[in-house]
Amino acid sequence: MKIYLIVGFVFAHIASQLVSAQGGCPSIVTRRDIATLSPQEWSQMAGVINRMYADGWFQYFAEVHNREFGNIHGNDNFFPWHRRFLREFEEIGQRYDRNFAVPYWDELRDARDPAGSPVLTSGLLGGNGFGGCVRDGFQAGWMLTFPNSHCLTRQYDRGNQMQSWYSPEYIYSIMQRYGDMHGLRENIEYTIHGSVHLSVGGDMATYWSPNDFIFFLHHANLDRLWDQWQSWGHGSTMDGRNQNGSPMSLGAPLPHYGEPVGSTVQLGVGRMCFRYAGGRGGGRAAKGLSLASKPHRGSVESANGGLSRLPKHLLDKWFPVLAREIGTGMQPENGTATPARNSTRGTMIPGTRPSKKPLPYPAPLTNSWISMHKFDREKVAKIMAEARQFVDDMNNANYNSPY
């Protein structure tokens, strides 16, 4: 126990030294949910991204990601490296517009029917490819030069549809069950990270996935989840292994950048001059699922409200932080969900009825994706089996998802 305490103090000291050495930011931009941008805001942002495309920046980011692929996946560089990578993209965008901030796509909210997301419509990112090539949205007709000359491609994994992704509830469960970086990283990388890349397909399913702007929206959302997890007392948590198998630490150099991993862990410091709307930078993020993913407009209940009525043994198993917060005397033991309630007043909304919305099974990683990343197949199989068990447990408890 003393050894772990000493290691923790050392990590905290390193983080403190890195933060104090870097200083603050002259200005901080706010990354917002792309679905909340006004048409004018999106038009301005799309204009910046198209100028970056015309100047060859997408080729640059695709090349870097391709070259470092083995160093930044399947090990615990995953979160800090991608945070640094996105920040570089954002900094270049700010050369064109000093207020540019990478938006995020709240993909968890769309996990039940990804292809039906408003993000994948002609007014924003566009949808599936026609003959592979993206023909609508602001990237319509893009021709890319890495790794060869080709049109930007997308190819949904179910024809014109996509298999369901991992639910907000399951990702929230991961964030509560793992207090170490290694556990969080594996469970995120083997689930929602891979399923989005594979379901969108085309360039997104390759080593050079940054060719598609969806890559940046996707990884901004994963980074946002990491930021929320950090706010739960994991601000300087860094463990596991780096690309060469040595222990990961805050002082380890990031592949390609050479900067210490610890330079990425605190937003609003050094080069990390951004925050997430609703996150720590705008007031400390709470442990609410609604902050990780907001239900679509019209939902009659907050997500935590439904989860709090799960049987105690399921709360303890899948949502230990929430179980500790709400206590043990409030949970129904028979596994039956109570009617929908107004999340602000706790009373039944007149005219509403509980609707059965069982959780769908999420898309598994493919053999080719596992091989491409050199993942441990046994670990992947264990995590995917656990995700299916989660769905069974929740559905057997008659849990009704607001998503």
Side-chain angles (χ1 to χ4, degrees):
M1 179 62 71
K2 289 183 179 179
I3 293 176
Y4 288 115
L5 288 174
I6 292 171
V7 171
F9 286 140
V10 170
F11 279 3
H13 175 72
I14 293 174
S16 175
Q17 292 300 309
L18 288 168
V19 167
S20 62
Q22 291 165 336
C25 294
S27 63
I28 297 176
V29 295
T30 300
R31 295 180 179 176
R32 294 167 52 194
D33 183 342
I34 189 173
T36 69
L37 300 179
S38 70
Q40 181 179 356
E41 289 170 329
W42 170 244
S43 177
Q44 184 175 354
M45 181 172 294
V48 170
I49 299 164
N50 271 308
R51 291 174 67 187
M52 292 175 66
Y53 157 71
D55 289 343
W57 284 111
F58 278 79
Q59 173 180 316
Y60 165 77
F61 284 100
E63 288 179 334
V64 170
H65 191 267
N66 176 76
R67 183 172 63 249
E68 300 295 340
F69 194 87
N71 293 326
I72 58 176
H73 297 96
N75 63 71
D76 297 295
N77 275 303
F78 178 80
F79 275 113
W81 192 89
H82 283 89
R83 176 173 283 180
R84 179 65 180 86
F85 188 66
L86 261 68
R87 180 55 188 159
E88 183 179 16
F89 182 89
E90 192 167 66
E91 287 175 333
I92 290 172
Q94 288 168 356
R95 298 179 188 179
Y96 301 85
D97 178 350
R98 63 186 178 88
N99 296 316
F100 177 79
V102 176
Y104 65 87
W105 175 13
D106 186 357
E107 306 144 316
L108 305 181
R109 183 177 55 214
D110 297 324
R112 187 177 294 274
D113 178 24
S117 170
V119 173
L120 299 177
T121 57
S122 58
L124 291 175
L125 274 293
N128 203 7
F130 294 88
C133 298
V134 174
R135 302 289 177 83
D136 66 339
F138 87 105
Q139 291 178 284
W142 272 25
M143 292 299 299
L144 300 156
T145 58
F146 187 85
N148 49 46
S149 180
H150 70 285
C151 64
L152 174 64
T153 61
R154 291 182 195 143
Q155 189 172 0
Y156 291 176
D157 64 345
R158 294 293 183 269
N160 288 323
Q161 298 298 319
M162 298 184 203
Q163 187 168 336
S164 297
W165 295 338
Y166 291 79
S167 67
E169 292 89 344
Y170 187 65
I171 301 304
Y172 187 45
S173 172
I174 289 173
M175 293 167 67
Q176 292 196 28
R177 288 184 288 120
Y178 293 92
D180 62 305
M181 170 57 72
H182 180 72
L184 177 76
R185 190 272 307 170
E186 276 194 333
N187 280 268
I188 293 293
E189 189 176 9
Y190 296 170
T191 59
I192 187 65
H193 169 255
S195 66
V196 172
H197 277 278
L198 283 167
S199 294
V200 173
D203 279 87
M204 273 288 283
T206 68
Y207 295 103
W208 45 92
S209 48
N211 274 334
D212 194 334
F213 186 58
I214 288 178
F215 171 94
F216 296 95
L217 296 174
H218 176 39
H219 276 275
N221 194 48
L222 299 184
D223 186 71
R224 181 178 67 98
L225 297 176
W226 180 30
D227 177 58
Q228 184 178 9
W229 180 83
Q230 287 180 300
S231 76
W232 298 356
H234 309 301
S236 59
T237 300
M238 191 58 57
D239 52 62
R241 300 284 173 176
N242 63 26
Q243 73 276 17
N244 61 18
S246 61
M248 176 61 85
S249 70
L250 292 171
L254 287 168
H256 177 70
Y257 297 105
E259 300 160 3
V261 166
S263 66
T264 69
V265 297
Q266 185 171 338
L267 304 191
V269 172
R271 301 188 76 137
M272 303 297 108
C273 299
F274 66 94
R275 65 183 180 184
Y276 289 98
R280 288 185 290 169
R284 185 173 177 82
K287 297 182 178 66
L289 179 59
S290 61
L291 287 175
S293 183
K294 295 183 179 179
H296 284 289
R297 186 174 300 174
S299 173
V300 297
E301 176 168 41
S302 71
N304 264 358
L307 293 174
S308 68
R309 292 194 294 271
L310 287 171
K312 180 181 180 301
H313 73 279
L314 291 185
L315 273 172
D316 290 340
K317 177 180 180 180
W318 297 112
F319 304 100
V321 175
L322 181 60
R324 288 195 298 270
E325 281 195 338
I326 63 179
T328 60
M330 300 167 55
Q331 312 315 315
E333 295 293 341
N334 60 7
T336 302
T338 55
R341 295 180 181 272
N342 185 306
S343 60
T344 58
R345 294 184 299 172
T347 57
M348 186 71 176
I349 299 176
T352 62
R353 296 179 180 179
S355 58
K356 180 68 174 177
K357 292 179 68 177
L359 296 178
Y361 288 111
L365 299 186
T366 63
N367 286 330
S368 60
W369 185 262
I370 295 171
S371 297
M372 174 180 170
H373 289 75
K374 297 181 174 61
F375 288 157
D376 183 317
R377 290 183 179 275
E378 290 186 4
K379 287 185 179 179
V380 172
K382 179 179 180 295
I383 288 171
M384 290 194 295
E386 192 173 65
R388 291 191 293 271
Q389 184 62 56
F390 175 85
V391 171
D392 288 339
D393 283 354
M394 297 293 279
N395 289 341
N396 289 337
N398 294 320
Y399 170 75
N400 293 323
S401 175
Y403 297 95

mmCIF file of all heavy atoms in Angstrom, residues 44 68 74 88 130 152 208 211 216 315 319 339 378 381:
data_model
loop_
_atom_site.group_PDB
_atom_site.id
_atom_site.type_symbol
_atom_site.label_atom_id
_atom_site.label_comp_id
_atom_site.label_asym_id
_atom_site.label_seq_id
_atom_site.Cartn_x
_atom_site.Cartn_y
_atom_site.Cartn_z
ATOM 1 N N GLN A 44 -19.382 28.944 -41.076
ATOM 2 C CA GLN A 44 -18.075 29.543 -40.814
ATOM 3 C C GLN A 44 -17.035 28.461 -40.525
ATOM 4 O O GLN A 44 -15.905 28.518 -41.022
ATOM 5 C CB GLN A 44 -18.175 30.512 -39.651
ATOM 6 C CG GLN A 44 -16.882 31.272 -39.348
ATOM 7 C CD GLN A 44 -17.077 32.327 -38.260
ATOM 8 O OE1 GLN A 44 -18.199 32.567 -37.806
ATOM 9 N NE2 GLN A 44 -15.989 32.947 -37.844
ATOM 10 N N GLU A 68 2.329 6.840 -37.170
ATOM 11 C CA GLU A 68 2.394 6.565 -35.732
ATOM 12 C C GLU A 68 1.373 5.524 -35.281
ATOM 13 O O GLU A 68 1.264 5.254 -34.076
ATOM 14 C CB GLU A 68 2.166 7.870 -34.952
ATOM 15 C CG GLU A 68 3.172 8.965 -35.237
ATOM 16 C CD GLU A 68 4.588 8.598 -34.789
ATOM 17 O OE1 GLU A 68 4.739 7.684 -33.939
ATOM 18 O OE2 GLU A 68 5.543 9.219 -35.297
ATOM 19 N N GLY A 74 -3.655 0.453 -28.967
ATOM 20 C CA GLY A 74 -3.309 -0.764 -28.262
ATOM 21 C C GLY A 74 -2.355 -0.557 -27.111
ATOM 22 O O GLY A 74 -1.803 -1.516 -26.580
ATOM 23 N N GLU A 88 -3.359 20.021 -32.200
ATOM 24 C CA GLU A 88 -2.579 20.537 -33.323
ATOM 25 C C GLU A 88 -3.507 20.906 -34.484
ATOM 26 O O GLU A 88 -3.342 21.955 -35.114
ATOM 27 C CB GLU A 88 -1.541 19.511 -33.787
ATOM 28 C CG GLU A 88 -0.666 20.039 -34.917
ATOM 29 C CD GLU A 88 0.378 19.050 -35.383
ATOM 30 O OE1 GLU A 88 0.265 17.850 -35.065
ATOM 31 O OE2 GLU A 88 1.313 19.491 -36.084
ATOM 32 N N PHE A 130 -21.568 7.012 -52.268
ATOM 33 C CA PHE A 130 -22.220 6.477 -53.463
ATOM 34 C C PHE A 130 -21.109 5.930 -54.345
ATOM 35 O O PHE A 130 -20.280 6.693 -54.848
ATOM 36 C CB PHE A 130 -23.017 7.559 -54.199
ATOM 37 C CG PHE A 130 -24.190 8.071 -53.425
ATOM 38 C CD1 PHE A 130 -24.040 9.127 -52.536
ATOM 39 C CD2 PHE A 130 -25.436 7.490 -53.561
ATOM 40 C CE1 PHE A 130 -25.114 9.612 -51.807
ATOM 41 C CE2 PHE A 130 -26.523 7.960 -52.840
ATOM 42 C CZ PHE A 130 -26.357 9.023 -51.960
ATOM 43 N N LEU A 152 -12.802 10.929 -51.105
ATOM 44 C CA LEU A 152 -13.134 10.603 -49.724
ATOM 45 C C LEU A 152 -14.217 9.537 -49.734
ATOM 46 O O LEU A 152 -15.251 9.688 -50.399
ATOM 47 C CB LEU A 152 -13.636 11.842 -48.989
ATOM 48 C CG LEU A 152 -14.154 11.606 -47.564
ATOM 49 C CD1 LEU A 152 -13.034 11.124 -46.651
ATOM 50 C CD2 LEU A 152 -14.810 12.867 -47.013
ATOM 51 N N TRP A 208 -5.288 5.791 -42.268
ATOM 52 C CA TRP A 208 -5.294 7.220 -42.591
ATOM 53 C C TRP A 208 -6.688 7.828 -42.368
ATOM 54 O O TRP A 208 -7.143 8.694 -43.089
ATOM 55 C CB TRP A 208 -4.835 7.447 -44.033
ATOM 56 C CG TRP A 208 -5.452 6.493 -45.035
ATOM 57 C CD1 TRP A 208 -6.594 6.661 -45.770
ATOM 58 C CD2 TRP A 208 -4.928 5.210 -45.419
ATOM 59 N NE1 TRP A 208 -6.829 5.583 -46.577
ATOM 60 C CE2 TRP A 208 -5.815 4.665 -46.387
ATOM 61 C CE3 TRP A 208 -3.801 4.470 -45.053
ATOM 62 C CZ2 TRP A 208 -5.607 3.419 -46.972
ATOM 63 C CZ3 TRP A 208 -3.601 3.227 -45.625
ATOM 64 C CH2 TRP A 208 -4.493 2.710 -46.581
ATOM 65 N N ASN A 211 -8.370 11.512 -42.879
ATOM 66 C CA ASN A 211 -8.852 12.067 -44.146
ATOM 67 C C ASN A 211 -10.296 12.544 -44.035
ATOM 68 O O ASN A 211 -10.722 13.450 -44.758
ATOM 69 C CB ASN A 211 -8.768 11.015 -45.259
ATOM 70 C CG ASN A 211 -7.403 10.972 -45.925
ATOM 71 O OD1 ASN A 211 -6.671 11.961 -45.932
ATOM 72 N ND2 ASN A 211 -7.047 9.837 -46.505
ATOM 73 N N PHE A 216 -12.158 13.652 -36.469
ATOM 74 C CA PHE A 216 -11.902 14.677 -35.455
ATOM 75 C C PHE A 216 -13.111 14.871 -34.541
ATOM 76 O O PHE A 216 -12.953 15.091 -33.333
ATOM 77 C CB PHE A 216 -11.486 15.976 -36.134
ATOM 78 C CG PHE A 216 -10.190 15.845 -36.888
ATOM 79 C CD1 PHE A 216 -10.178 15.557 -38.247
ATOM 80 C CD2 PHE A 216 -8.973 15.954 -36.231
ATOM 81 C CE1 PHE A 216 -8.986 15.396 -38.944
ATOM 82 C CE2 PHE A 216 -7.777 15.794 -36.916
ATOM 83 C CZ PHE A 216 -7.778 15.511 -38.270
ATOM 84 N N LEU A 315 -26.854 -2.032 -9.766
ATOM 85 C CA LEU A 315 -26.161 -0.764 -9.524
ATOM 86 C C LEU A 315 -24.752 -1.018 -9.011
ATOM 87 O O LEU A 315 -23.788 -0.415 -9.474
ATOM 88 C CB LEU A 315 -26.938 0.079 -8.515
ATOM 89 C CG LEU A 315 -28.037 0.991 -9.073
ATOM 90 C CD1 LEU A 315 -28.830 1.593 -7.929
ATOM 91 C CD2 LEU A 315 -27.459 2.071 -9.958
ATOM 92 N N PHE A 319 -22.668 0.236 -11.940
ATOM 93 C CA PHE A 319 -22.595 1.684 -11.672
ATOM 94 C C PHE A 319 -22.190 1.935 -10.227
ATOM 95 O O PHE A 319 -22.942 2.529 -9.447
ATOM 96 C CB PHE A 319 -23.947 2.348 -11.974
ATOM 97 C CG PHE A 319 -24.443 2.115 -13.367
ATOM 98 C CD1 PHE A 319 -25.417 1.148 -13.628
ATOM 99 C CD2 PHE A 319 -23.933 2.843 -14.431
ATOM 100 C CE1 PHE A 319 -25.868 0.925 -14.912
ATOM 101 C CE2 PHE A 319 -24.383 2.625 -15.725
ATOM 102 C CZ PHE A 319 -25.353 1.662 -15.971
ATOM 103 N N PRO A 339 -42.695 4.141 -13.470
ATOM 104 C CA PRO A 339 -43.085 4.979 -14.608
ATOM 105 C C PRO A 339 -42.176 6.172 -14.799
ATOM 106 O O PRO A 339 -41.500 6.617 -13.874
ATOM 107 C CB PRO A 339 -44.510 5.420 -14.231
ATOM 108 C CG PRO A 339 -45.001 4.379 -13.279
ATOM 109 C CD PRO A 339 -43.792 3.952 -12.513
ATOM 110 N N GLU A 378 -7.973 -12.258 -26.774
ATOM 111 C CA GLU A 378 -8.675 -12.721 -25.578
ATOM 112 C C GLU A 378 -9.264 -11.552 -24.792
ATOM 113 O O GLU A 378 -10.390 -11.631 -24.290
ATOM 114 C CB GLU A 378 -7.730 -13.532 -24.698
ATOM 115 C CG GLU A 378 -7.347 -14.887 -25.282
ATOM 116 C CD GLU A 378 -6.535 -15.716 -24.319
ATOM 117 O OE1 GLU A 378 -6.322 -15.261 -23.161
ATOM 118 O OE2 GLU A 378 -6.121 -16.824 -24.700
ATOM 119 N N ALA A 381 -12.305 -10.247 -26.729
ATOM 120 C CA ALA A 381 -13.440 -11.154 -26.570
ATOM 121 C C ALA A 381 -14.074 -11.001 -25.195
ATOM 122 O O ALA A 381 -15.311 -11.006 -25.052
ATOM 123 C CB ALA A 381 -12.988 -12.598 -26.793
#
